[in-house]
Amino acid sequence: MPTLLVKNSHTLVTMDEQRREIRQGALLIRDHVIEQVGPTTELPASADRVLDLGDRHILLPGFVNAHHHFFQTLTRVVPGAQNSALFDWLSALYPLWQQLTPEAIRLSAQVAAAELIYSGCTTASDHLYLFPNGCTLDDEIEAVQEIGLRFHASRGSMSVGQSKGGLPPDSLVEVEADILKDSQRLIEQYHDNRRHSMLRITLAPCSPFSVSTDLMRESAALARAYPGVRLHTHLAENNSDVDYSLQTFGLTPGDYAASVGWLGHDVWHAHCVKLDDRAIQSFGQTGTGVAHCPCSNMRLASGMAPIRQMLNHQVPVGLGVDGSASNDGSHLLAEARLAFLMARVREEEAAALTAREALELATLGGARVLGRDDIGSLAPGMAADFVAVNLDRLTLSGTVYDPVAALIFCPIDRVDYSVINGKEVLNPHGLVTLKLPHLLQRHQTIAQHLANL
């Protein structure tokens, strides 16, 4: 099996159990797995391929994106949705999303994946919950496999349209029996629960205001019939979301999740901005995860999630960039910086979240939320997913005091190297696996077509 030696980093941030940061650290990778970690002087001097970082790069685990909607890269900054909160924002965008095609799904997924890779992401979960005009989750899976991102594909769904008291138009909802049948097909066709897997399937009914309680329960039962299939949805995103839950189910969002069996180590919820104290305690006790999406929460005026309180109650917390129609980008390192700043503003406490805690949310936190113990840190036996950031850049000049913390304190446009599953996907010259100019041209053409409809 081929070997890769990455040596002479300025600092290697392991995120291992001791949270070691190794000066002039190095990695030895065999095939797609890390074999050795330590100072450059203590690792072999040669390998089939050597990447010498010249003592000028921070080397760290690849980031994990726990919540996204890739298709939304086609509908950024739509004027009718620029100044709207969640429900009105969705209502403004549904008519555009009704026009999506399989090609649109493929191209939007590759653009989102490329953005994520440039920002340091090596594993991403995406939540695709609408399937008009023959679109399938297969379209997205094939597109992401081509670019080389480690992927958790969520089979989302909407089954309660406006005629039944839900938010989405009836034309975008599906029959629940068809949803469950397709969910089972996808699990059996694609889900790979082996260690270092590149593809896993999640079942993800969209939200309490777009699916029935029956679908929530039946999706949970189906997922739990297969090893490693997890559950994901939106929960307690803003005050209107809470009001809908109280009016429709007579339950708070946390109690609603419990009532349909959506608590546990195999579940994570997006946003949870308005999760109450009792629910936070319950999430911590049951190991129920949260994908924190600070940029989207600010963009839609949803509020600030109580992340410090969640961490204090041992709630698993990862980061998500959320959809590119509410972010409006896919920059995971920027998301970590926003999470760091938002926690300090919310708590009015300068130490509410440290830079290294923010990096941990982006790595180990996301891995835990996705149920993975093979990514998120650089240690023997872990997947060979890592990124490197060159310190010789304008925004990092003067950060000699603590260059690791500088990755969060200072804005950074992109990482310089990304290796996923032992394969280089990004280097200082750009993306290795796809021709970006051609992709952007095709993506822009489809976005223009949607805008003209």
Side-chain angles (χ1 to χ4, degrees):
M1 292 183 287
T3 55
L4 167 64
L5 175 65
V6 185
K7 66 179 185 178
N8 293 324
S9 67
H10 179 282
T11 304
L12 192 164
V13 180
T14 65
M15 286 293 170
D16 63 9
E17 291 184 0
Q18 294 78 39
R19 303 298 189 269
R20 290 182 301 157
E21 296 178 5
I22 303 172
R23 184 75 175 90
Q24 293 188 330
L27 299 172
L28 180 66
I29 292 145
R30 189 173 301 276
D31 193 14
H32 61 280
V33 179
I34 297 172
E35 189 170 275
Q36 294 184 51
V37 179
T40 297
T41 55
E42 296 180 9
L43 265 65
S46 62
D48 295 317
R49 180 167 175 254
V50 177
L51 175 60
D52 189 338
L53 296 178
D55 197 29
R56 298 308 305 152
H57 292 73
I58 303 295
L59 185 61
L60 66 164
F63 305 140
V64 180
N65 179 35
H67 184 67
H68 207 328
H69 306 292
F70 286 177
F71 69 90
Q72 292 181 15
T73 60
L74 289 162
T75 54
R76 307 189 216 232
V77 297
V78 172
Q82 287 181 15
N83 303 311
S84 299
L86 177 63
F87 284 12
D88 289 339
W89 172 86
L90 284 167
S91 296
L93 290 166
Y94 284 139
L96 292 174
W97 297 340
Q98 284 180 310
Q99 310 306 319
L100 292 171
T101 63
E103 184 183 18
I105 294 296
R106 288 192 293 269
L107 292 174
S108 59
Q110 290 187 337
V111 165
E115 278 191 274
L116 288 169
I117 289 168
Y118 269 90
S119 74
C121 177
T122 55
T123 298
S125 172
D126 186 62
H127 189 186
L128 181 59
Y129 55 81
L130 39 77
F131 301 92
N133 308 311
C135 296
T136 65
L137 192 61
D138 308 66
D139 300 317
E140 187 175 82
I141 289 170
E142 292 164 8
V144 174
Q145 287 178 325
E146 187 177 349
I147 203 169
L149 187 68
R150 195 179 299 275
F151 192 39
H152 285 231
S154 296
R155 204 305 181 181
S157 53
M158 298 192 296
S159 65
V160 178
Q162 291 172 351
S163 65
K164 296 181 180 179
L167 188 68
D170 289 349
S171 58
L172 275 177
V173 303
E174 299 176 87
V175 175
E176 293 190 353
D178 295 341
I179 292 168
L180 293 167
K181 182 179 179 181
D182 191 51
S183 296
Q184 183 172 1
R185 175 190 70 84
L186 290 161
I187 293 169
E188 294 180 353
Q189 183 171 344
Y190 292 111
H191 182 66
D192 182 359
N193 197 44
R194 292 174 296 178
R195 188 169 177 82
H196 309 129
S197 161
M198 287 292 288
L199 176 62
R200 292 184 182 172
I201 299 295
T202 297
L203 298 191
C206 183
S207 61
F209 52 83
S210 61
V211 300
S212 71
T213 54
D214 285 344
L215 184 61
M216 294 291 285
R217 292 190 182 100
E218 290 177 28
S219 295
L222 177 59
R224 287 165 178 156
Y226 294 88
V229 176
R230 298 177 73 76
L231 295 164
H232 181 54
T233 192
H234 299 84
L235 194 75
E237 188 166 352
N238 70 359
N239 289 327
S240 296
D241 195 358
V242 175
D243 291 343
Y244 181 92
S245 185
L246 290 169
Q247 293 166 11
T248 306
F249 311 116
L251 297 168
T252 64
D255 287 341
Y256 171 76
S259 75
V260 292
W262 277 63
L263 297 180
H265 290 278
D266 59 348
V267 182
W268 85 102
H269 298 275
H271 303 295
C272 296
V273 175
K274 300 297 181 177
L275 209 61
D276 60 33
D277 293 349
R278 187 160 52 86
I280 290 172
Q281 186 173 3
S282 177
F283 273 40
Q285 291 170 345
T286 58
T288 306
V290 170
H292 178 38
C293 308
C295 183
S296 176
N297 296 157
M298 288 188 284
R299 158 76 152 81
L300 297 176
S302 297
M304 297 186 286
I307 296 304
R308 182 69 266 167
Q309 184 181 355
M310 292 181 188
L311 294 174
N312 291 346
H313 282 83
Q314 309 306 311
V315 176
V317 179
L319 296 178
V321 299
D322 201 14
S324 294
S326 69
N327 187 306
D328 291 35
S330 307
H331 198 301
L332 195 52
L333 186 53
E335 206 72 34
R337 185 169 186 256
L338 284 174
F340 161 76
L341 296 172
M342 179 184 277
R344 294 181 172 209
V345 171
R346 187 188 190 282
E347 306 301 329
E348 297 185 20
E349 168 57 57
L353 198 71
T354 69
R356 284 169 172 79
E357 284 178 314
L359 284 173
E360 187 164 329
L361 290 179
T363 52
L364 287 173
R368 185 182 176 195
V369 161
L370 295 186
R372 306 215 44 160
D373 62 1
D374 55 354
I375 61 173
S377 68
L378 301 179
M382 301 296 283
D385 293 2
F386 62 87
V387 297
V389 178
N390 193 330
L391 294 171
D392 292 330
R393 61 202 327 129
L394 182 64
T395 57
L396 292 181
S397 182
T399 62
V400 293
Y401 310 94
D402 191 348
V404 173
L407 300 182
I408 295 297
F409 274 91
C410 303
I412 294 171
D413 57 342
R414 55 160 288 186
V415 301
D416 295 278
Y417 291 96
S418 176
V419 170
I420 303 174
N421 205 41
K423 297 179 180 179
E424 183 179 280
V425 296
L426 182 75
N427 61 35
H429 302 291
L431 196 65
V432 174
T433 49
L434 284 180
K435 295 180 179 179
L436 196 56
H438 179 60
L439 170 61
L440 294 179
Q441 183 180 28
R442 293 165 61 209
H443 182 267
Q444 189 76 342
T445 297
I446 289 185
Q448 186 65 55
H449 175 69
L450 291 176
N452 291 340
L453 289 173

